[in-house]
Structures are given as C-alpha cells and as structure tokens.
Amino acid sequence: MKKGSLLVLTIVICFILLSGKNSERPYQSIMVTKKVEESYQINFLNFQKEVDKLESLTTFERSKDVFLSIKKQVLTTRLAYKEIEFIFDYYQTPYNGTFINGAPLPKISEYFDEGNVIAPSGLQALDEAVYEDYSLENFNHIKVLAKDLKVHVDHVSEIHLPIRLKSSQIIECIRSGLVRVFTLGVTGFDTPGSVNGITESYISFKRMRKTFMTFEAGIYPEARPKFKSIVNLFLEGEDLLKSNDNFNEFNRLTFLKHIINPLYAELLEFQNLNNIRLEPYKKHAQNYQAKNLFDIDFLNTNFYSELVYLPLDNDKTIYLGKLLFEDPQLSGNHKMSCLSCHNPKKGFSDGLPKSLSNKEGFTTLRNSPSLLNVGYSTRYFWDMRASNLETQVGHVINNKLEFNTDFDAIIEKLNKDSKYLKLFKDAYAGISEKDINQRSISNAIAAYVNSLKSFNSTFDKYVRNEIEDYPQSAKRGFNLFMGKGACGSCHFAPVFNGSVPPFYLDSESEVLGITQGFDSINPKLDLDLGRIANGIQIDKFSHFKNSFKTVSVRNVALTAPYMHNGSFKTLEDVLEFYNLGGGAGMGLDIDNQTLSKEPLLLSKQEIKDIIAFLKTLTDPTGFVVEKKGSFISH
C-alpha cells in the first residue's frame, strides 16, 4: 500500500475512534449520502427526459391520437417526478410551487416575477388540461404548458444539480414526504384531472423506502430493529396503496393510523438511535421533534410570529393578553371587548351572521371567525389583510364599527391603572422606553390569541391511539372528507385550514361563489369583493375577486352560522353548497372560482357522515391556558 493511502486510512480510523458514539460515523454517512445523491441525480435526469418527450409530442400535427399520446405521457412524466419530489420540493420549494408542481391557479410570487401574475403552469396544470375535452384551444394550451415546463426544468437542473446532502436532511425529506403523501397525494389535491393520487403516492412511497434503505450501510446495533420496522411499515404502506388504488374507496384513516403516523415517529427514533444529529436544513413550520401529525406541537406557531415584539409563548404576556382581551375599556365607548365577538362558549365566535357593531342597529361587515388555532397562519381576517397576530389587533382597534379608537387613547387609560402598570412592567420592562405602548399591547393580545390551541378532540385522541372508540360514521366521514368530498384538498390536515403542507409556509384563500343565503333555486352572488379589496397591492388581481381565507373547520360544530357572510345556517347547508359545486355549480357566472363547479355527488348519508366527523373535531379543553401550575379559564 502506498504511504499516502496508508496515511489517509490511518487518519480516517483515528477520526472515527476519537469521534466516539455521540456522532454519526463519517465513512458510513458519506456512503449513504453519496448513494442517495447518485440515485437522485439519475432519477432527476430521467424526469427531465420525460419532460422532453412530453414537449416534443406537442410539436406534432394536432390530432386526437396525438392528444391521447400526450395524455399518456403526462401520466408517465408525473410518475417520474414522484421519484424525486420528496427531495426536490424540500430544496426548491418556491420554484417547485410556482413552476413545477404547484396548484393550477394564477400565482403572485415574492421570489419570481415580483408584483406580476404568473399564469398557471407545471404538472398539476397539465394533469388538469389533458383531462379536458380535445379542442384546438386546449391543445395549444397544453403545448404552452409543456414548453414552459421544459424551460423551467432545464433551468432548475443547472442550479440544482449536483445535489449535496446530509443524512439528517435525507430523513427530514422523507418525513416531510410522508406529510405530503397524506395531505396532497391521497386527497387528490395533486391530481385535479386524473385523480391518480393513490398510484402516484405508491411511487413516492416506494422511492422513499429505497432511499431510506441506504442507511443500512451504517447502522448502530441498537438502531437495527428500528430500521427493520421502518422498512416493513413502508412495505405495508406500499401494499395498501397498490391494492386499494380506487380513489373513493381508499381507507385514509387506516393509512394514517397504521402507516403514516408510525413511520413519522419511527424515523425520528431511528435518527436518534443511529446518532444522526438533528440539524434540519430547511426552515419551516413543522416541529421536527413531533412524533405524530396530530400532536399538539406538530406545527410551531412561533414560525408564524417571528417578527413580533416578544415571542408569543410567554406566560406573563398570555395572562396580560387575556385581561386585555376581556377588558371593555379598550374600546372607544367602554362597552365592547374582544369577548363581544369571540365567545369561548361558541368556539370564540359569536353565533351571529355578522357581529354587532358599536353603533346600535348596525353590524360589522362580516361573520366573526373562530380564534381557536388561528395562530397557524401567515395571513389574517377573511380578506387576509393582516400579516400577523399583532397587526391584526390594530385593525380591530381602529375600525369604526368595532373598537373605534386608537392606541394613544388606550395607552392613556392603561397608564392610569396600577394593575396594568405592574403587569406591563413585569412582561416588557427594558424593551422600550415605555412599557405600555402600541407594540406591547398588540403583543400581549396576540400572545393570548396564539395560546388558543385546540388539538385534543375525540378525533385527535383516536388517531394518536389514546382512545379506542370512535364512531363508525365519523370514520366514514373522515375518509370522505379527505377523499371523495375533496374537503381535505383545501382544509389541509392537521389544522384543517388553508395553510399548505408539507411545510405550511403559506395560507390560501378560495373563491367559492358564496351566495346571499343558501338558495340553490335562485342563487345570488354575495357582493363582498373579499381579498381583492383588502388594500394590499399584491392582492389587487382579478383572481382574488370574491376570494376569502380558508379557515379551520376544527370546532365548527360550535361556530354556526357559516361563511364570511354568515348566511349558511347549518353544516347541512354548507355541505350541500359544496355538493352542488359552489356558486358556479348552481349556475352563477364566476370566472375565477377555485372550487370545481362539478357536483361531488355525495349522498345524504355521506353528507351526514362528513358532519359526524366534523363534530369529532370539537375540543373544549383548548379553552384554558396553564400558568405556573394552575389553570386559567378562558
């Protein structure tokens, strides 16, 4: 052996011995990452090749036969993409969501073509287009989509490859991939035309298993049983996906309880047992230490409140915020408090179509939404005009129909109250020249609102295996909600709101064609313009007309009436509205409706089952906050 080689080998052996058991074995780690990198690059180049084939087909002379060939190639191309998605989306999230596999809707991106509308593009748009009827117009549309996809894939390959990975990042990619499969794959979100989500999820699952199996090259003895258990769970998941590929019949609840949640937990356990350092590369809302998609801490609300005055998970500010939340002296007439519109007994809503204003005989413009779990969002209010919970407070204080006052007046009142002077000093001393100021008031109220978390419902306990009994109707309802009913493709698990998985970086609004009351015979479109009129420049685009925030359906049994205008009195009305295809499905002319106008064809029993599931999302235990060993009733 040459002296140089011997020296290198000696150094490596010494490094391994000195590094001890508290760190990952360097040589094995390099072997694992190198194998994954090589495999990923092969699969990416194969995807690129399939995109090239697709684009070339669109250059042929237009005919129905060519159209069918394109349709088949779109399916093939999408399956090739599923081999790389769990890694590609982790590293290229904005680019992926904008150009490669984002929802087939117009987009306003802060990363690309800032300030302008980006037309629908990518694989989801193609999946939708090739399942529309053949026509010259549609063929030309598909041709543009295919050409754009090729341009974007070619571009990203130059900056994305070769990829460099760490073992910890590979595991995080897989765990996020599990979330993606469950929330976007088997729900049909990702396949709006083909409804091929089960088959595509199978391909994703199979690739994630093969990627994980590269860790076999360097396993500590104590991690080996966990490695085998994870591989078996993947194989069971693949069997379930392959043997039950009928979209409407696939049992998503079984998949969640017996495959997704156990895998999500055991991958973290394996990482710890195999001494792979916890060092996530990507910043996102998932709490990497969570072991279950429905753990109360699966998502971290601190992610959504990074720029606040003081972190919102602070006992002192939560307690102070609760007092301010309930105090009518914050309003101009000393008669209204936050409780006026957000009653704990009504899920922190008020039970009215539109909330009462400070002027007798008048209401506010919209229905009062629940505040439970409201912290899991990037935008606030129905029209999404506020960017965080602190700024939301100011909108209420300044609104002429609500508190009808300003911060200066409130500060003057609070400075005359010795109790508040002490509480603000205890919580905020030393941050600013004066303890009671606009930011500290807003921060305290935001901290309290952020604490209103509700993840101990009957459903949560069942999927966390804390209870065994769960109604059969609710089981059927969950599967319908996440499948045929298409509810879960807008109300994303686990919060069941519009925060988009798997990284929960953005919050969505939808155009549903909400009517003035539920009248399916003579429907009239509600006149509220919604998001397009919220005063924010980047939202002043036609596709945001009549668009409203997708709020959580947790505790929905407590918060009737429904929708932004409060015009749907019952959950039955809401489900029937969706069942008919929204406003457009009922015959209204709505160019930008994001809800499909096609009827869902839900039976009366299926609607009852979905409502049965929704009722199991009720959680009154979330109405208390623990403080220094005691509980404070909300």
Side-chain angles (χ1 to χ4, degrees), residues 214-239:
T214 59
F215 284 99
E216 192 171 18
I219 301 180
Y220 283 107
E222 55 267 43
R224 188 163 293 280
K226 188 61 63 179
F227 174 85
K228 292 180 179 178
S229 174
I230 290 170
V231 171
N232 287 333
L233 279 168
F234 267 117
L235 290 170
E236 289 176 27
E238 289 169 39
D239 287 344

Side-chain angles (χ1 to χ4, degrees), residues 242-258:
K242 194 170 185 179
S243 61
N244 298 276
D245 62 353
N246 183 298
F247 183 82
N248 286 344
E249 295 179 6
F250 183 75
N251 194 321
R252 293 157 178 85
L253 189 57
T254 296
F255 189 52
L256 172 66
K257 277 178 62 71
H258 298 289

Side-chain angles (χ1 to χ4, degrees), residues 32 171 174 208-235 263 266-271 273-274 276:
V32 168
I171 292 179
I174 296 172
M208 287 190 286
R209 171 179 59 82
K210 288 182 176 181
T211 300
F212 174 74
M213 289 180 70
T214 59
F215 284 99
E216 192 171 18
I219 301 180
Y220 283 107
E222 55 267 43
R224 188 163 293 280
K226 188 61 63 179
F227 174 85
K228 292 180 179 178
S229 174
I230 290 170
V231 171
N232 287 333
L233 279 168
F234 267 117
L235 290 170
L263 269 175
E266 292 197 16
L267 281 163
L268 178 61
E269 293 167 12
F270 171 81
Q271 182 168 349
L273 288 169
N274 212 44
I276 299 172

Side-chain angles (χ1 to χ4, degrees), residues 164-201:
R164 293 292 178 260
L165 304 169
K166 288 185 177 182
S167 298
S168 58
Q169 293 163 12
I170 294 170
I171 292 179
E172 190 177 5
C173 284
I174 296 172
R175 294 183 87 207
S176 295
L178 295 174
V179 177
R180 181 186 293 103
V181 163
F182 181 68
T183 56
L184 304 181
V186 300
T187 61
F189 173 91
D190 209 24
T191 49
S194 65
V195 198
N196 198 38
I198 308 301
T199 298
E200 290 192 359
S201 296

Side-chain angles (χ1 to χ4, degrees), residues 331-468:
S331 64
N333 62 8
H334 287 213
K335 293 181 179 179
M336 294 185 75
S337 72
C338 301
L339 279 176
S340 301
C341 300
H342 299 286
N343 183 345
K345 294 180 180 179
K346 297 182 183 296
F348 286 86
S349 63
D350 61 12
L352 300 172
K354 296 178 181 179
S355 298
L356 296 177
S357 75
N358 58 55
K359 296 181 180 180
E360 189 173 349
F362 288 83
T363 67
T364 59
L365 298 179
R366 297 182 180 125
N367 176 262
S368 175
S370 171
L371 295 183
L372 291 170
N373 303 311
V374 74
Y376 298 98
S377 182
T378 58
R379 302 279 288 271
Y380 300 89
F381 292 110
W382 281 107
D383 60 10
M384 305 184 80
R385 65 186 183 272
S387 59
N388 62 54
L389 285 172
E390 278 189 355
T391 57
Q392 184 181 29
V393 174
H395 285 273
V396 175
I397 286 172
N398 295 318
N399 192 302
K400 292 183 178 180
L401 292 173
E402 296 182 58
F403 280 14
N404 192 28
T405 185
D406 56 48
F407 278 102
D408 289 340
I410 293 173
I411 291 168
E412 184 179 352
K413 295 175 190 176
L414 297 179
N415 273 317
K416 296 177 181 178
D417 189 314
S418 60
K419 178 181 68 174
Y420 277 125
L421 283 169
K422 182 179 185 307
L423 289 171
F424 273 94
K425 183 178 181 180
D426 288 346
Y428 297 104
I431 300 177
S432 295
E433 183 179 348
K434 296 181 179 180
D435 300 332
I436 302 179
N437 57 61
Q438 178 173 337
R439 289 297 301 277
S440 61
I441 294 169
S442 299
N443 179 263
I445 296 174
Y448 173 66
V449 172
N450 186 66
S451 75
L452 303 176
K453 298 174 182 178
S454 175
F455 286 91
N456 275 311
S457 67
T458 302
F459 171 79
D460 294 309
K461 293 175 183 177
Y462 178 68
V463 295
R464 293 196 300 252
N465 298 315
E466 295 169 6
I467 60 174
E468 294 183 3

